[in-house]
Structure formats: C-alpha cells, structure tokens
Amino acid sequence: MKAFEYVSTASADIAVKALGGVDGAILAGGTDLLSRMKDYVTTPKRVVDFNPQSVVQKETSPGGVPTWTILAGTTLADLLASKALREELPALWQAASEVGTPQIKNMATIAGNLLQRPRCWYYRSGFGLLSVKDGKNLLREGDNRYASIFHTDGDALFVAPSSLAVPLIALGASATILGPKGERTVMVSSLYQIPKRDSDRELTIGADEVLTKITLPAPQGKNATYEARQKQSHDWPLVLASVSLRFDGASVSQASIVIGGVAPIPYRAVEAEKAMFGKPVTLETAEAVAANAINGVKPLSGNVYKVALTKTVVKRALLAAVGNRYWEEV
Ligand SMILES: Cc1cc2nc3c(=O)[nH]c(=O)nc-3n(C[C@H](O)[C@H](O)[C@H](O)COP(=O)(O)OP(=O)(O)OC[C@H]3O[C@@H](n4cnc5c(N)ncnc54)[C@H](O)[C@@H]3O)c2cc1C
C-alpha cells in the first residue's frame, strides 16, 4: 500500500475541508476502500477517516409526512437491528441481510455501501472502469459472465455493485451531500452515471464531497427485494430486484421496480412498472410484468443466463411484496 496522510473526524465539515485540494478519500468501514488501496487501484494521498454516528430513525415533523433518516455512518448491522425498519422497509432490510458476512455487516456503512466501487475484475486489476486495452474492451471480449446485460452498447460493461442502492431507489430515497459550496440533496438514483471515457467516474459525488445522510418517505404500500446468487455465501448477488408498490384496493396504482446486477447503474424497469399499473399482483400478472422487465436487453457473450434470471427475480420480488413466497413451499 502507498503511504498516505491520515485525518480522523466525526465532523462532516472537517471531512470536507480535509478532502479539499488533495487527492483524498473518505474511509468509512474500510471494507471496500482498503482492499482497493492494497491492490493499488486507489492510491489517495490523504485518507479521511470519517466516522459519524450510526443512527436509523423515523420522524414525523408537524404537518409533514413520516420520514426515515439513516445517517451516513450507520452500519448494516445497526440497520438490520431495527425492528421497525424490518417491518416498514423490508426491501431495504432484505437487501442488507444478504450482504457479506456478520463481520462485514458490523463494519460496512450505508454511505460506503452506496459509494463502493465496481467489483469488475478488470477494473480491480488496474484496467480502469471501461477496461479498454490496446483498443479492445477486455470485458466485452473476455470473461463477462458477471457483466451488464443492459446499456451494453458503450464501453462501460461492469455492474453497479451496491445492493442497498436498489431498494433505496425503489423507495424514492434521497442522499444529502456536503461539499465546499454547501449542502445539496439528490435522489439516490442520481448518485450513479454511466462513464463514457476512462477519466469519468460512475459516481456523481465530487471528490471533495461527503455523503452525510439518506432520507426516505415512509412507504404507503408494500415493498420487497428478491435476489439470486451463484452460491449461498458471502458474495454479491448475480441479479436482485426491489419493488415498491402502492395499491388502490387490490390493484397496483403505482409501481417502482429497480434491478441490480444488470447494468453499470441500478436499472429502472420502466416498462414493467407501467405493465403493473391497474393490476393485482398474482402469479400470472407478476410473470407477465416480469417479461416486460427485459425489454431492450442486450446480453454479452457469457451472460445470456442473466436474462431469464432477471425475469424470475422481478417476478419473485413482486410476489414477495404481497407475501407470496411460493418457491419456499417446495
Ligand atoms: C466478501 C464480501 C461480500 C460482499 N457482498 C456484498 C453484497 O452482496 N452486496 C453489497 O452491496 N456489497 C457487498 N459487499 C461490499 C460491502 O457491502 C462494501 O464493501 C461496504 O458496504 C462498504 O462500506 P464501508 O463503510 O466499509 O465503505 P469504505 O470501504 O470505507 O468506503 C467505500 C467507498 O465509499 C466512499 N465513502 C464512504 N463513506 C463515504 C461518505 N460518507 N462520503 C463520501 N464517500 C464515502 C469511500 O471513499 C470509498 O470509496 C461485500 C464485501 C465483501 C468483502
């Protein structure tokens, strides 16, 4: 690992100042950053150990809608310990429960999870986000079994790694960011972009900005996450889907359907969302809606299997939201 300066603070203001004018990086739980530093993929000159509180709470301001607030330093273990969160935000709870191991959940924070960098093996081996070498895209021409199946016309073929981004986007969460020019709030979906050049980043947060909290309105319907893994161990999901549904009687009046593991950004299945409108969630409708989730798919040579997996994962997430887990009854 390269030598670096070290600053430790619980204050977001101090963290922003410490990041200014140097090639710096925030250290939260370190479960992603330290492994990149050990592999020389990330070589910051200054590491800012930002350790704000771990707090999850639901508040209702007078006349306002109930809102969940999750501070940046909240560990996945603390998120999972909240009974109220498990009941009201099962999509988020389920996604967090599948991340890594107990040790990782104890260290990993919500901010670090959202801002972790791609797991693409070419990126992690120093070939950059677009993995282009001598004019060839190594991921397109090489082993791309875990790569994207959507937005594959460009050179960014890695998949966005954060499991928690998927339910947070489905639930309409926002991120508050502090930078040298003050505070700004963006939708969690806006934290991500598809890089076009190797010098672009897949994250929109500036190098001198700090994510301070996540907020989301208390959902008014049902929500769930379902994911498929290669093996039941501490690995990232192949594909996961989160849904958040509002109902008018038995029929869906609003649907958010977001898929992870399929694109360089969390992928919003807009056509499936439209197809769900006005229907009850049954085995038949969920299957038909899930078929819309793969419209426009363009898999690579080694990941055609993800197309069928995506359909199944979306179908099961929809059914899980209404308490139908037929696959567990076998
Ligand atoms: C074996 C294993 C299995 C895993 N499985 C999964 C999985 O299934 N799903 C999944 O989503 N993840 C998985 N992970 C990844 C893990 O969830 C992340 O490494 C972790 O959430 C990162 O959080 P952290 O607090 O340790 O972040 P750090 O490693 O400290 O930071 C990660 C990145 O975020 C930046 N950062 C952190 N906090 C802030 C902030 N407040 N403001 C600005 N930038 C910030 C850092 O600079 C760094 O670039 C797995 C990891 C391992 C090792």
Side-chain angles (χ1 to χ4, degrees):
M1 194 187 274
K2 265 194 160 173
F4 54 85
E5 294 172 9
Y6 177 82
V7 176
S8 174
T9 180
S11 152
D13 284 314
I14 295 176
V16 169
K17 284 195 185 101
L19 287 174
V22 285
D23 176 13
I26 293 282
L27 172 70
T31 59
D32 174 42
L33 180 69
L34 294 180
S35 52
R36 277 187 280 120
M37 288 173 65
K38 285 184 206 165
D39 288 342
Y40 296 90
V41 176
T42 305
T43 51
K45 294 214 164 49
R46 183 177 296 162
V47 169
V48 181
D49 185 351
F50 176 49
N51 38 45
Q53 286 173 305
S54 182
V55 175
V56 185
Q57 60 190 23
K58 185 179 165 187
E59 292 164 311
T60 310
S61 56
V65 285
T67 303
W68 282 91
T69 301
I70 306 170
L71 296 191
T74 304
T75 62
L76 302 198
D78 285 346
L79 207 65
L80 292 166
S82 166
K83 224 173 137 226
L85 185 140
R86 184 177 189 171
E87 280 166 14
E88 201 166 302
L89 306 173
L92 181 58
W93 194 92
Q94 286 154 5
S97 72
E98 300 283 351
V99 170
T101 61
Q103 293 87 342
I104 290 166
K105 291 184 180 90
N106 283 335
M107 292 305 292
T109 61
I110 188 151
N113 184 278
L114 291 171
L115 301 174
Q116 63 179 297
R117 307 299 304 275
R119 303 304 303 186
C120 168
W121 41 45
Y122 295 109
Y123 165 68
R124 297 266 164 173
S125 303
F127 292 104
L129 281 173
L130 304 188
S131 59
V132 173
K133 191 179 175 223
D134 302 332
K136 279 188 183 170
N137 188 311
L138 300 176
L139 200 45
R140 189 180 297 283
E141 298 187 21
D143 187 342
N144 50 36
R145 72 186 98 160
Y146 301 127
S148 292
I149 55 172
F150 290 104
H151 297 302
T152 50
D153 286 335
D155 275 327
L157 301 174
F158 61 85
V159 296
S162 169
S163 294
L164 301 197
V166 176
L168 285 172
I169 293 170
L171 291 162
S174 309
T176 301
I177 291 168
L178 185 69
K181 293 187 186 141
E183 197 174 78
R184 63 189 179 100
T185 299
V186 298
M187 299 304 285
V188 169
S189 53
S190 303
L191 291 174
Y192 306 101
Q193 65 186 358
I194 301 179
K196 301 270 187 297
R197 291 174 298 271
D198 226 5
S199 54
D200 292 348
R201 280 180 20 121
E202 80 291 10
L203 300 170
T204 57
I205 187 168
D208 53 358
E209 291 186 313
V210 172
L211 195 159
T212 55
K213 68 178 175 192
I214 297 296
T215 44
L216 61 150
Q220 293 179 5
K222 296 175 189 295
N223 60 87
T225 292
Y226 183 84
E227 63 177 59
R229 300 176 157 261
Q230 187 159 23
K231 50 191 188 308
Q232 290 302 317
S233 73
H234 51 274
D235 209 349
W236 279 255
L238 294 168
V239 180
L240 80 160
S242 295
V243 304
S244 177
L245 307 173
R246 277 203 206 186
F247 291 85
D248 181 3
S251 300
V252 171
S253 58
Q254 199 180 321
S256 294
I257 303 176
V258 183
I259 313 172
V262 293
I265 52 175
Y267 181 80
R268 184 145 211 153
V270 179
E271 290 184 36
E273 291 176 350
K274 285 187 199 146
M276 196 65 250
F277 178 78
K279 300 188 185 90
V281 183
T282 63
L283 202 53
E284 291 72 30
T285 58
E287 192 144 350
V289 166
N292 286 275
I294 55 158
N295 289 352
V297 74
K298 276 195 188 169
L300 303 172
S301 55
N303 64 10
V304 177
Y305 74 95
K306 277 195 180 183
V307 178
L309 205 55
T310 301
K311 273 201 283 187
T312 301
V313 164
V314 170
K315 176 177 84 176
R316 291 188 178 187
L318 287 166
L319 290 167
V322 294
N324 180 349
R325 293 180 163 268
Y326 71 89
W327 56 93
E328 287 177 359
E329 287 159 18
V330 191

